Amino acid sequence: MKGSRYLLFLLFLPLLAASCAPADSGTPNGVTTDGQPTVTATAEVETSAETVTEDTAPTLKQTDLIVNPEMWATPTLPGGEFMLTIEISDYTSFRHDILRESIKTYNVGTTDSVYGEHKYLAGEWANCLLNRPTGTDIGSAKPIDNVFLDGDPQTREEAVKLVKEFIVKQFVEGVDHPWASMNGHYVWQHYAAEAGFDIIGSEIGENVYNYQFHYAMSRGAARQYGTAWFIDFSSWHGPGILDYTEQKIWRDSSSPDNGHSLSLMERSFVSAYMSGADGVVAEAGAYISFYDTIDPETGLYKISPYGETCKAFHEFSKANPDVGITYTPVAIVLDYYNGMGHPTVKKAFGRFDYTPGDFMTYHLVELLWGKDAWVVEANANEVGALVSNPYGDSFDVLLQNASPEVLATYPALLLSGDVTLSAEEAETYRAYVQNGGTLILNTAYLKFFPAYEGTLTDNRYTVTDGAGRVIVYGPDYSVEALDGILSEVIDELVPFSYSEDVQSILNVADGCYYLTLINNDGVTKQHHLPFKLKNSIINHYKKELTVQYAGKHDILSVSDVYGGHDVRLTGKSFEIDLKPGEIAILKIDVK
């Protein structure tokens, strides 16, 4: 995405209609004399950064990019602030009084729960729903009453109804709020939020597929339904788990060489925080953060390398409590009944064969987060868990029933899946366009938008309607044409571009940006082997990045508030070098 262009941020404001309409349209607001939308052959929109002198340069406001900061910030957790929860349970020979004091003294995190004092967390409930018949004892909650399996849904509509009934009846019926939900392999956060849950989460680590997709799903659901959200990181990796103790808590699965790399753990914690998560849970973290030997001088357990990583992240989050709001200008809008299944099964709700629309979404995830996004478990070496990509972490995922108020906060929408729209829903999306939004529309959905029909040229064309535009592409349910379209749209909406692919997360605050850059390339670890980066790998995958700013402000300073990297600023561009696994969080002051 070299040479990016910068739209004046909010394409959905009527005053920007001219920037979306062809220069020679000859009609006001992108409509013909008979009131129909106008059609052009390409979706290219040429804009140029405004030249502003230092004396007249406007100060960056968060609302320049984010029209509803309150909605996008999402509610906080019961504790009122970001939390790194070091999970502690009722097993192992650790003395819990000493363990809690060790966590507190070393400042590793907090043992407070992200979901408050709630008795039950609906944890990995989709796995229970699909695989645990009525009467199964799952230990931490009441025996399974599986209304889903017993109800034997024959349609996706029936499945959604039973999913929501199950999660409430099984885990939180009769329990005071807040209600908390967490899933790993099944990204059904929206259904939990719609069922009334106040806090939604994703489990990553373990053998879970691409984490950035999980962030996009959880954050999108949180913004659509007004919930808090969190990330749970599991140190299981294949059949092994990280464990520094002599007692081997998980028996043959335990080893200081097993589990995930501390590099992946650190990148996951940081990327979740900068992606807007309200909390991170270090699953079983109390036992992995320490050796099971007591230091005679302190009377505390000795801290492990895992504990040191938690400590460093916890201290960073406390020292930097306000890093702005994560800017995700494109919302992927999925069909309400998608029921996205495990990637190895490819069945919606675990029972309905994927349709062409379902496979469209499957391939869209591969386009955005790489061919390894779905095969993290099969790779068994952390490849695909977090990726460098050309689009940045610029996406949220909504369901098609999102309100007009939610939709209007996104400059661009991309429909995906087996979408069927009612007349009322179709009108909602057309109103979104007419008010200035950009709708990226596959030809499969034109039956709901006959006014946007036209002739494909190189598998695309553009329709202007009111103050906005529709970028139509084909063939039906194919994502092949989306690469170029998304590159253009991201270039227009995101004011930073990069000389090579990198994981990038952009946060916006008044007066400054926080730009997180992570080099995920070349970092691998198998579940049973120690982690080590060879010099040849470091040299091959090192990134010498040039970052270009295309906004209307001047850059006053750039500093890495996380990794301390050297940043070389020249005008509106700067250079930074990142070795494999390295993280930079750049505070960019502008005026």
Side-chain angles (χ1 to χ4, degrees):
M1 300 197 307
K2 298 179 183 178
S4 70
R5 303 172 308 283
Y6 186 49
L7 277 181
L8 299 182
F9 300 114
L10 301 178
L11 291 174
F12 43 86
L13 295 179
L15 61 89
L16 292 181
S19 70
C20 295
D24 61 349
S25 65
T27 56
N29 296 324
V31 296
T32 64
T33 54
D34 61 359
Q36 295 300 308
T38 58
V39 181
T40 55
T42 71
E44 186 74 14
V45 178
E46 291 296 339
T47 63
S48 59
E50 182 181 344
T51 302
V52 184
T53 65
E54 185 174 351
D55 292 337
T56 62
T59 300
L60 173 68
K61 297 293 185 184
Q62 194 172 63
T63 50
D64 289 342
L65 278 79
I66 299 171
V67 294
N68 192 332
E70 183 178 1
M71 179 184 291
W72 273 28
T74 70
T76 60
L77 294 166
E81 61 182 3
F82 178 84
M83 301 169 63
L84 171 61
T85 292
I86 308 300
E87 186 185 61
I88 186 169
S89 304
D90 295 326
Y91 58 92
T92 80
S93 60
F94 277 97
R95 280 187 52 183
H96 279 199
D97 56 340
I98 298 177
L99 191 59
R100 291 180 184 276
E101 187 62 30
S102 300
I103 292 170
K104 179 180 178 181
T105 301
Y106 284 108
N107 202 25
V108 172
T110 177
T111 56
D112 293 339
S113 169
V114 297
Y115 48 94
E117 297 303 317
H118 192 291
K119 186 176 181 181
Y120 293 122
L121 163 71
E124 299 188 61
W125 57 265
N127 184 53
C128 291
L129 176 140
L130 294 173
N131 300 300
R132 302 286 189 266
T134 293
T136 303
D137 184 358
I138 58 174
S140 61
K142 60 186 178 183
I144 291 291
D145 180 5
N146 202 320
V147 297
F148 182 85
L149 292 181
D150 295 343
D152 190 24
Q154 299 301 301
T155 66
R156 296 191 188 205
E157 290 82 358
E158 293 176 358
V160 168
K161 179 178 179 294
L162 290 173
V163 162
K164 292 190 289 186
E165 181 181 344
F166 170 83
I167 187 175
V168 172
K169 186 175 182 180
Q170 179 62 42
F171 293 99
V172 296
E173 190 172 51
V175 177
D176 292 338
H177 289 265
W179 296 353
S181 158
M182 185 269 287
N183 270 324
H185 290 287
Y186 299 92
V187 283
W188 294 352
Q189 292 88 327
H190 296 77
Y191 300 139
E194 192 166 279
F197 281 73
D198 312 279
I199 305 167
I200 55 175
S202 284
E203 181 187 36
I204 60 173
E206 216 244 20
N207 303 304
V208 175
Y209 48 87
N210 181 263
Y211 305 168
Q212 289 140 292
F213 178 48
H214 279 263
Y215 300 164
M217 291 290 283
S218 292
R219 183 178 51 230
R223 288 173 172 175
Q224 178 172 345
Y225 292 97
T227 73
W229 69 283
F230 70 95
I231 290 296
D232 175 288
F233 186 89
S234 169
S235 287
W236 282 96
H237 179 23
I241 185 171
L242 180 62
D243 183 1
Y244 298 96
T245 67
E246 294 181 3
Q247 64 181 286
K248 292 187 177 293
I249 297 170
W250 295 277
R251 299 175 183 173
D252 292 343
S253 297
S254 291
S255 169
D257 292 332
N258 284 358
H260 287 292
S261 66
L262 295 183
S263 170
L264 180 63
M265 168 193 158
E266 179 190 13
R267 286 179 283 131
S268 299
F269 284 15
V270 172
S271 60
Y273 180 59
M274 298 307 293
S275 293
D278 299 294
V280 168
V281 177
E283 188 176 311
Y287 310 115
I288 309 175
S289 291
F290 299 95
Y291 298 95
D292 55 350
T293 53
I294 295 177
D295 186 333
E297 294 185 4
T298 64
L300 302 174
Y301 288 109
K302 295 180 180 179
I303 192 169
S304 71
Y306 177 100
E308 294 283 6
T309 304
C310 289
K311 172 183 170 67
F313 169 71
H314 178 62
E315 291 178 345
F316 170 79
S317 68
K318 291 302 181 184
N320 297 272
D322 183 6
V323 289
I325 295 175
T326 310
Y327 176 57
T328 50
V330 181
I332 300 166
V333 182
L334 296 184
D335 56 300
Y336 180 77
Y337 299 105
N338 70 85
M340 190 175 298
H342 193 288
T344 60
V345 177
K346 299 184 180 66
K347 286 183 179 290
F349 299 105
R351 58 176 53 210
F352 304 109
D353 290 339
Y354 271 13
T355 65
D358 295 321
F359 278 109
M360 175 188 183
T361 301
Y362 184 92
H363 295 308
L364 175 62
V365 171
E366 290 183 321
L367 173 66
L368 299 182
W369 294 293
K371 293 292 186 182
D372 289 303
W374 292 118
V375 293
V376 173
E377 183 172 6
N379 287 339
N381 62 359
E382 301 184 342
V383 172
L386 287 171
V387 301
S388 305
N389 71 351
Y391 312 108
D393 289 8
S394 304
F395 305 90
D396 283 347
V397 180
L398 310 175
L399 297 187
Q400 69 183 69
N401 64 335
S403 69
E405 292 76 19
V406 171
L407 297 177
T409 64
Y410 293 90
L413 304 177
L414 168 62
L415 292 184
S416 182
D418 200 14
V419 177
T420 298
L421 298 176
S422 67
E424 182 180 359
E425 287 176 320
E427 184 54 37
T428 294
Y429 287 96
R430 184 164 184 190
Y432 164 84
V433 174
Q434 292 172 335
N435 287 328
T438 293
L439 179 62
I440 304 171
L441 193 67
N442 185 261
T443 50
Y445 311 130
L446 285 175
K447 56 190 174 185
F448 307 113
F449 301 98
Y452 297 151
E453 291 183 354
T455 302
L456 293 172
T457 301
D458 294 329
N459 282 327
R460 60 185 289 186
Y461 61 85
T462 302
V463 179
T464 55
D465 188 7
R469 61 175 174 172
V470 182
I471 303 174
V472 181
Y473 69 98
D476 286 3
Y477 299 116
S478 171
V479 300
E480 291 183 7
L482 271 180
D483 182 27
I485 293 170
L486 287 175
S487 292
E488 293 167 12
V489 170
I490 295 298
D491 279 351
E492 293 165 3
L493 297 174
V494 178
F496 292 94
S497 60
Y498 314 94
S499 57
E500 55 184 307
D501 290 350
V502 66
Q503 183 182 0
S504 60
I505 306 166
L506 180 60
N507 292 45
V508 186
D510 287 340
C512 70
Y513 301 98
Y514 286 88
L515 179 61
T516 303
L517 302 176
I518 305 176
N519 182 1
N520 294 304
D521 298 345
V523 186
T524 63
K525 182 188 181 302
Q526 294 180 306
H527 68 84
H528 61 295
L529 297 177
F531 172 71
K532 184 177 181 180
L533 278 177
K534 297 180 179 178
N535 287 333
S536 59
I537 296 295
I538 294 173
N539 293 332
H540 181 76
Y541 289 102
K542 178 181 178 181
K543 294 184 184 291
E544 298 176 348
L545 285 169
T546 299
V547 181
Q548 185 72 39
Y549 176 58
K552 60 185 178 182
H553 306 93
D554 293 325
I555 297 180
L556 302 179
S557 64
V558 183
S559 60
D560 181 3
V561 298
Y562 183 82
H565 290 85
D566 176 52
V567 184
R568 303 172 292 279
L569 173 64
T570 305
K572 287 194 169 187
S573 69
F574 53 87
E575 297 176 343
I576 183 172
D577 300 335
L578 291 176
K579 295 177 182 178
E582 287 191 334
I583 303 166
I585 300 177
L586 305 179
K587 184 175 184 290
I588 305 170
D589 292 301
V590 298
K591 181 176 175 59

